[in-house]
Structures are given as C-alpha cells and as structure tokens.
Amino acid sequence: MKKLITLFAMSIFTLNIQSAELLPLTDFMKTADPNDPVSFEMIAKRCSAINLAMTNYSREGDQVYELAIQNYVAWFHLATEARALKYPEDNFVDSEINIRDSVLNIAKMVNKEFTNNQDLTGSLFKDTFLEDDINICGDMITAIYAE
C-alpha cells in the first residue's frame, strides 16, 4: 500500500512540474487585444523568440538569418515599448532583462518544436502552428513598419 501511495504521489508531483506547452498565436489572439500593451508585449516576445530560434537553423550572412535577426531585434524593441506603456514607472534595464529572459525561455521551447518537427518531417515548421505563428508575426511586423 505504501508503494502505491508513493507512486501516486510521485505521479502527481511529476504532472505538476510539467511545463506548459506553447499556445498557438491564433489561439492567444482569439481573446487578446493587440492594442492592449499586456497582450501586445506577449505577442512581441513570442515573435521575437520565434525569429531568434530561426537563427539556429541558418547561417550568418544568408538572407534567412539576416531577416530573422532583424525581426528578432524589432520585436524585442516592440516588447520593451509595450512594457514601458504597461509599467511606465519600472526601471528600463530591469524590464529589458525580464523581457530578455522571457524571449530566451520561449525561444528554447520554439527550438525544441523546430528540432522535433525537423526530425519527424524534414521541415522546421511546415504544417504546424509555428508556420501560422511565423506568418502572423511577419504580417504584423510588415503592417507596423508600413505605418
């Protein structure tokens, strides 16, 4: 009986420490308002992270790498602007560190998805929610900088 209780307790603990999965941006945006700084910061961090992860699968100097770096930096900057609107009294450097840590955390998860997809299908993101996320991020950044 003690073994059964221990096994049950360990399984509950294991379930509780499992990390959340990435939510497709399409799902997030169903309830989020991109004009709200809180929501926009999340979108910007996600788009920044996706582009940062893409740099792992290209070489410095090629077109994909250069575009990914450019978009990573642009989205990071937009996330910091959204944070400043959300918390104008916060220390800018502390906010940047928090955003950086979030972007790196998300990028690690995106990188795992890319690696898994590439191993299983030969494509980083084709026919996955990440393909949709990349398209959303691309369309949004184009619209933002077209204004």
Side-chain angles (χ1 to χ4, degrees):
M1 183 68 172
K2 284 184 180 181
K3 286 183 182 180
L4 183 60
I5 292 172
T6 303
L7 182 61
F8 179 71
M10 286 176 56
S11 66
I12 289 174
F13 179 73
T14 302
L15 289 174
N16 287 334
I17 63 170
Q18 295 292 327
S19 62
E21 292 184 18
L22 287 171
L23 178 69
L25 273 179
T26 51
D27 291 352
F28 177 75
M29 292 176 74
K30 286 177 185 173
T31 58
D33 176 8
N35 296 311
D36 171 54
V38 174
S39 297
F40 189 76
E41 180 185 338
M42 177 57 205
I43 293 166
K45 289 189 297 190
R46 177 65 168 273
C47 291
S48 181
I50 288 171
N51 281 282
L52 179 60
M54 288 184 72
T55 65
N56 293 323
Y57 298 92
S58 56
R59 286 188 164 68
E60 191 170 348
D62 74 26
Q63 186 178 4
V64 171
Y65 182 89
E66 297 303 323
L67 183 59
I69 285 290
Q70 179 183 354
N71 286 334
Y72 154 68
V73 171
W75 280 114
F76 187 90
H77 177 71
L78 290 168
T80 60
E81 287 180 353
R83 174 68 64 94
L85 287 173
K86 184 169 67 170
Y87 302 115
E89 69 285 351
D90 278 5
N91 179 291
F92 183 76
V93 173
D94 291 343
S95 292
E96 273 195 332
I97 290 168
N98 180 276
I99 291 167
R100 179 205 62 200
D101 291 348
S102 291
V103 167
L104 290 173
N105 185 44
I106 297 166
K108 286 177 189 175
M109 295 177 78
V110 170
N111 194 49
K112 286 180 185 177
E113 292 288 331
F114 280 169
T115 300
N116 189 48
N117 292 336
Q118 187 175 43
D119 290 348
L120 297 177
T121 69
S123 172
L124 292 178
F125 49 80
K126 188 174 186 319
D127 298 327
T128 69
F129 74 88
L130 289 171
E131 183 174 30
D132 295 335
D133 287 6
I134 291 165
N135 290 328
I136 289 168
C137 294
D139 291 346
M140 286 182 73
I141 201 76
T142 299
I144 289 167
Y145 285 108
E147 295 176 355

